[in-house]
Amino acid sequence: MLKAKLGGWKLAFTDTERRRLAIRAKALGRKLLGEIDTLFTPDTLLRWHRELVAHVLRENGIDPAPLQGKRTQWSTFLKARWKILVASHIFSIEVWRLSGLTTYDVLFFIQLSTRTVKIAGITTNPDAAWMLQSGHNMTHMKSGLLLGKRKLIIDRDTKYCKDFRQLLKQSGTTIIRLPPRSPN
């Protein structure tokens, strides 16, 4: 009836109204939307919902699915570069000492093709100087694990400071930073 009364006129909805319609449309589902008469097509209503979800994801630093599909899949990326890839991670471990409980940070690297693991350092104070020294050790011309490796996968831990990343870049290693909140 509303369509008939409007004739050729179009209704203008605010973003808030579109969000409310999109949420309700998603709850109904495409099949039910196709069975009822709506002011907008089911495709339009569900597109609004996808845009709403994409906006929420972007606010949290996560690429929405359409962008993820346009990128190289992780498994394809790994297979093509297996022999030149190294990954690094920093984890914490707590140790009881005579002075009490002490937290140590451990920086390690793993060569993905051979699964060779090298502990670059263990410290209670993982500052920029310690990270730089570890980076120098890993890029050493004769014994560094990064020798001949061109890609290093790291997470977004702030301990991987700008100077550390710059040092590796200067040695010819490309840093690949994982998306926020990986692997979720």
Side-chain angles (χ1 to χ4, degrees):
M1 289 186 333
L2 182 58
K3 280 185 178 180
K5 288 190 185 263
L6 287 174
W9 290 91
K10 292 186 177 184
L11 289 176
F13 286 89
T14 66
D15 287 343
T16 303
E17 291 168 333
R18 267 190 257 128
R19 280 188 210 107
R20 289 176 58 199
L21 283 171
I23 290 168
R24 287 182 174 88
K26 180 64 177 175
L28 290 174
R30 180 178 296 280
K31 184 177 178 185
L32 187 56
L33 285 172
E35 294 174 6
I36 60 175
D37 196 19
T38 60
L39 290 173
F40 305 98
T41 66
D43 288 335
T44 298
L45 293 167
L46 295 174
R47 177 176 48 84
W48 288 351
H49 187 268
R50 284 191 308 275
E51 289 170 358
L52 171 65
V53 170
H55 178 72
V56 170
L57 289 172
R58 265 189 234 101
E59 282 181 351
N60 291 300
I62 302 169
D63 288 335
L67 294 178
Q68 291 174 351
K70 293 179 183 177
R71 295 182 176 165
T72 304
Q73 288 194 5
W74 192 240
S75 60
T76 305
F77 176 85
L78 289 175
K79 286 176 188 171
R81 294 163 180 83
W82 199 244
K83 293 190 186 291
I84 61 167
L85 279 174
V86 175
S88 177
H89 187 64
I90 301 170
F91 67 90
S92 298
I93 186 165
E94 294 180 334
V95 177
W96 279 105
R97 300 175 55 194
L98 292 175
S99 59
L101 191 62
T102 305
T103 301
Y104 286 93
D105 285 330
V106 179
L107 170 63
F108 76 93
F109 292 81
I110 180 169
Q111 186 175 333
L112 297 180
S113 62
T114 63
R115 296 192 176 136
T116 302
V117 174
K118 182 150 187 167
I119 294 176
I122 301 172
T123 185
T124 57
N125 183 26
D127 59 5
W130 180 76
M131 289 298 293
L132 278 173
Q133 184 58 52
S134 298
H136 281 296
N137 294 345
M138 297 312 293
T139 58
H140 190 269
M141 294 300 284
K142 293 184 180 177
S143 61
L145 183 68
L146 292 176
L147 188 64
K149 306 300 179 206
R150 295 193 311 263
K151 308 256 185 230
L152 174 66
I153 302 168
I154 62 172
D155 58 20
R156 294 185 179 263
D157 192 323
T158 56
K159 293 172 189 154
Y160 292 111
C161 61
K162 184 179 179 181
D163 292 339
F164 175 82
R165 295 190 315 268
Q166 189 65 31
L167 170 72
L168 294 181
K169 185 177 179 183
Q170 290 171 355
S171 74
T173 302
T174 302
I175 301 289
I176 302 166
R177 295 181 82 184
L178 294 173
R181 299 186 179 127
S182 294
N184 295 336

